Amino acid sequence: MTTTTTEQTPVRGGSFEERRRRVEAAAYRIRHSALNMGEVQGQGYVGQALGAADMFAAVYADQLTYRPEDPHWEGRDRFLLSTGHYAIGHYAALAEAGIIPEAELETYGSDDSRLPMSGMSTYTPGMEISGGSLGHGLTIAVGMALGLRHRNSASRVINFLSDGELDEGSTWEAAMGAHHHQLGNLTALVDINALQADGRTDSVLRTEPVADKWAACGWHVQRVEGNDVGALLSAFDAVAAEAGLEGRPAVILCDTRIGRGVPLLETREKAHFMRIEEHEWQICREQLTNGYEGEGK
Amino acid sequence: MTAAPTTPRLKTSAMIASFADPGQKTTPAPFGHALVKAARENENIVGLTADLGKYTDMHVFAQAFPERFFQMGMAEQLLFGAAAGMAETGLVPFASTYSVFAARRAYDFLCLDIAEPNLNVNIVGGLPGLTTGYGPSHQATEDMAIFRGMPNLTIVDPCDSVDIEQAVPQLAASDGPTYLRLLRGNVPTVLDEYDYSFELGKAKVLRGGADVVFVSSGLMTMRALDAAKELARHSVDVAVVHTPTIKPFDAATVLGEVDTDRLVITLENHTEVGGLFETVASAVVRAGLGKRIVPIALPDAFLDAGALPTLHERYGLSTARIVARTLAELG
């Protein structure tokens, strides 16, 4: 990882327990912001944002090196959101990271906002790529990792993708390319929520056994509970300890739950685009806060 | 098959046939050598290919700069996505494959990862138009039609080795993405006989003529110049305007030549749909000129396999067919 000072990256280090608490607190705030954004819009990919909030939090509150006031600082680690519709969660993470003002979140999806429904690098500070056409992110990530290594940069590339993107052949072109070029500076985070636009992943296109596929492509593979912050941090630590040294790209397969943190939504029929009634937003926020505080945090 | 032919049938040559005439002056691998030269000046230039380095003259660069060459495998989506990623780190990638694969197979990646962020990625497409006898799987007869609709993309259709040598450093220096219709191998050297230099975005009048105006791009400029010489023997005086940049199009220069009483013919190594002819036609209509234009182009059809000379004759791209068509139009 790039050498940094405390001015460059807001919070780092501490004991494992301190890191875990910091990331869980960030994840709580990301979820809270996502609910607020969803309420302003009256809709949105809130279910995905809640499900992936722990992953975003682990990345921004523990892993990434960056300068909030200079999102294009050359020495930054790159976080690529391939899954453009997860932007709602990413914006909340960018606000949590201090890269965009928290007050701006309420413009999500509105005309002339810097925060469009599907994430684009040309609109939003800190957004590295324009995702949305699925299966692109990992190909760009391979090029970035190659380019950074070529330029003798120690920066890392983390690509966030969804399990739906495992349907795309380009994802596997990139997986093979990353291994061929021994990109130890590349990590893929796969959100396995087992749901895609037309329904359950195993009914749309069966991608399991997912771990075996990545392993066959030569990657360092871990599969964890993606809503267990401790498991996520341990996985990142294992990547730092193992994959980089071996010059292998690493994938962390994260089994997550859509709507995580809000029981009302966790138990609702799973949908790609979740409908939430006007009166339910406050209930969602209360359930989120009760759950977070109830765990003694 | 019918009765035996009276002359021996020509055979489809290897993948990349030369379209140089017998005895014509040629230059070997002008793109590869130009890229090496440009890379000596600009350390950010890198080369990528999708298992077609030897067939796009990228191997010349790979030999000169092995540490700046990246083999991406037969994976065109990865090729262009990765080129975008490399450009995001400040490098200036030249990424080569065949035009058919760039235009048809990897379009989404060129469009969203390269063109939308307006990155300096230079797409190098081999076998543009009808430059191989392998049939529709390899003949990129509609590549310009596909690419002209892509915002931010500059499209260059060079005539010869002179164009390619001079274009490469300009493509590297221009900020946004470019698409080069590559001519590779022993490429004819034609434009050195004219008072000409390649300027990105500019059309050039190579010769004046009182009776006919040829507006041409790519290898068809070479044929246009040959046809003009031949037509002089028929006492027909032909001007030739070369428009190697298809987009953005130098309408001012072309319209200056078109807006006369002369017969105007466009010549392109591309389907008559969506290429040079329609580019000129739209400029003419926008300017309010009620001018008839004759297209010499490939038909709107999947083309035959076979030997290139046979196919160029069959589809009207040969010098003899251009001369005959011009004389017929003049009545």
Side-chain angles (χ1 to χ4, degrees):
Chain A
M1 198 156 12
T2 312
T3 306
T4 60
T5 66
T6 47
E7 298 89 73
Q8 286 162 2
T9 304
V11 278
R12 275 303 166 278
S15 70
F16 188 86
E17 195 50 32
E18 286 166 338
R19 290 168 61 202
R20 188 176 65 78
R21 278 201 296 272
R22 187 167 62 232
V23 170
E24 284 176 347
Y28 164 70
R29 290 188 293 268
I30 287 170
R31 287 190 168 95
H32 205 270
S33 295
L35 287 171
N36 288 343
M37 279 187 272
E39 183 176 26
V40 169
Q41 269 289 312
Q43 55 185 10
Y45 297 96
V46 174
Q48 287 88 338
L50 294 172
D54 300 301
M55 297 164 70
F56 283 119
V59 167
Y60 276 92
D62 190 75
Q63 288 293 311
L64 278 196
T65 296
Y66 61 95
R67 289 177 175 169
E69 75 287 358
D70 182 12
H72 298 290
W73 170 53
E74 203 174 330
R76 73 191 184 280
D77 290 330
R78 270 69 166 176
F79 177 76
L80 277 57
L81 183 71
S82 184
T83 313
H85 58 282
Y86 279 57
I88 180 172
H90 196 183
Y91 298 147
L94 289 171
E96 172 68 21
I99 294 172
I100 60 175
E102 194 174 339
E104 191 172 346
L105 294 178
E106 66 182 35
T107 70
Y108 168 62
S110 304
D111 288 350
D112 304 319
S113 171
R114 297 196 299 175
L115 312 178
M117 287 286 273
S118 187
M120 285 181 274
S121 61
T122 38
Y123 279 63
T124 315
M127 192 69 83
E128 297 281 356
I129 64 166
S130 297
S133 183
L134 301 177
H136 283 230
L138 198 60
T139 69
I140 303 171
V142 166
M144 275 191 191
L146 275 172
L148 290 167
R149 188 175 70 187
H150 183 73
R151 297 176 69 99
N152 298 315
S153 166
S155 298
R156 292 184 306 158
V157 179
I158 299 177
N159 182 57
F160 183 107
L161 65 162
S162 66
D163 55 346
E165 294 189 84
L166 305 182
D167 292 4
E168 296 282 3
S170 53
T171 296
W172 300 106
E173 288 185 13
M176 287 188 285
H179 173 246
H180 177 80
H181 289 284
Q182 301 182 294
L183 297 178
N185 56 348
L186 172 61
T187 299
L189 275 185
V190 184
D191 177 22
I192 304 180
N193 58 25
L195 187 73
Q196 351 192 167
D198 266 350
R200 289 164 51 97
T201 294
D202 61 7
S203 72
V204 175
L205 184 66
R206 200 176 305 115
T207 46
E208 295 288 0
V210 171
D212 291 349
K213 287 186 171 72
W214 289 92
C217 287
W219 286 55
H220 176 277
V221 184
Q222 298 174 85
R223 187 161 189 164
V224 302
E225 286 298 325
N227 296 123
D228 179 339
V229 168
L232 283 170
L233 295 183
S234 295
F236 273 116
D237 289 349
V239 169
E242 298 169 33
L245 294 175
E246 296 168 15
R248 295 164 77 194
V251 61
I252 304 174
L253 304 166
C254 304
D255 288 296
T256 64
R257 184 161 188 169
I258 286 197
R260 172 72 183 195
V262 178
L264 178 74
L265 303 180
E266 284 184 29
T267 53
R268 178 161 290 184
E269 186 187 4
K270 296 292 176 276
H272 177 70
F273 200 81
M274 195 174 266
R275 290 280 164 200
I276 300 169
E277 301 304 321
E278 208 174 319
H279 71 277
E280 292 178 326
W281 293 100
Q282 186 55 32
I283 300 170
C284 290
R285 273 189 292 266
E286 286 166 6
Q287 288 190 345
L288 174 69
T289 301
N290 290 341
Y292 179 69
E293 289 176 350
E295 286 169 33
K297 287 156 191 161
Chain B
M1 285 288 139
T2 53
T6 52
T7 52
R9 287 198 181 114
L10 296 178
K11 293 184 171 58
T12 303
S13 60
M15 176 79 73
I16 305 201
S18 175
F19 53 86
D21 295 327
Q24 187 175 28
K25 183 163 73 169
T26 61
T27 302
F31 166 70
H33 292 291
L35 189 59
V36 168
K37 193 175 170 198
R40 290 204 181 102
E41 306 286 315
N42 181 352
E43 65 176 16
N44 288 326
I45 288 176
V46 293
L48 297 79
T49 193
D51 196 25
L52 286 172
K54 290 178 193 166
Y55 298 85
T56 56
D57 289 345
M58 186 60 85
H59 67 295
V60 177
F61 178 85
Q63 284 160 10
F65 292 105
E67 76 289 356
R68 289 161 69 175
F69 168 72
F70 300 90
Q71 173 61 263
M72 302 313 293
M74 200 194 326
E76 292 79 13
Q77 299 176 107
L78 173 60
L79 172 71
F80 292 111
M86 295 179 97
E88 295 276 11
T89 70
L91 298 172
V92 178
F94 280 73
S96 74
T97 179
Y98 286 156
S99 293
V100 281
F101 306 136
R104 298 173 185 161
R105 197 158 193 148
Y107 183 92
D108 196 33
F109 292 73
L110 295 181
C111 189
L112 293 171
D113 304 339
I114 294 172
E116 195 270 338
N118 205 22
L119 297 174
N120 186 358
V121 173
N122 302 285
I123 301 140
V124 181
L127 304 185
L130 181 54
T131 50
T132 173
Y134 271 37
S137 62
H138 289 67
Q139 293 160 345
T141 53
E142 83 291 25
D143 57 334
M144 292 198 289
I146 291 170
F147 279 140
R148 275 181 62 224
M150 189 184 293
N152 291 343
L153 183 68
T154 294
I155 302 172
V156 174
D157 188 22
C159 165
D160 73 342
S161 67
V162 174
D163 256 351
I164 291 171
E165 285 162 4
Q166 296 183 9
V168 166
Q170 295 182 41
L171 299 177
S174 79
D175 283 339
T178 67
Y179 169 61
L180 176 69
R181 297 186 95 208
L182 177 73
L183 306 173
R184 57 76 67 196
N186 289 322
V187 176
T189 303
V190 174
L191 295 175
D192 60 338
E193 293 173 19
Y194 295 82
D195 179 20
Y196 172 81
S197 63
F198 175 88
E199 277 183 78
L200 193 59
K202 294 290 183 195
K204 296 285 178 78
V205 180
L206 296 176
R207 53 175 284 167
D211 304 316
V212 178
V213 180
F214 283 166
V215 180
S216 60
S217 70
L219 70 88
M220 289 305 285
T221 292
M222 176 180 89
R223 295 276 160 77
L225 291 167
D226 284 346
K229 288 177 193 164
E230 182 68 25
L231 284 161
R233 291 191 204 113
H234 296 269
S235 301
V236 176
D237 194 15
V238 181
V240 176
V241 187
H242 177 45
T243 62
T245 308
I246 299 296
K247 190 182 177 188
F249 190 64
D250 182 3
T253 299
V254 172
L255 290 182
E257 295 298 314
V258 167
D259 190 14
T260 66
D261 293 333
R262 297 172 293 180
L263 170 66
V264 175
I265 299 178
T266 58
L267 304 96
E268 64 194 296
N269 170 35
H270 184 270
T271 165
E272 61 190 23
V273 177
L276 177 64
F277 167 64
E278 291 192 357
T279 300
V280 173
S282 69
V284 165
V285 171
R286 277 173 185 274
L289 306 180
K291 180 75 184 177
R292 179 171 175 267
I293 297 170
V294 175
I296 290 181
L298 297 167
D300 177 20
F302 291 108
L303 306 185
D304 296 341
L308 266 192
T310 307
L311 298 176
H312 278 201
E313 184 69 20
R314 182 173 300 163
Y315 294 116
L317 300 193
S318 68
T319 302
R321 289 287 306 274
I322 296 166
V323 170
R325 180 75 187 275
T326 306
L327 291 173
E329 288 290 339
L330 288 169

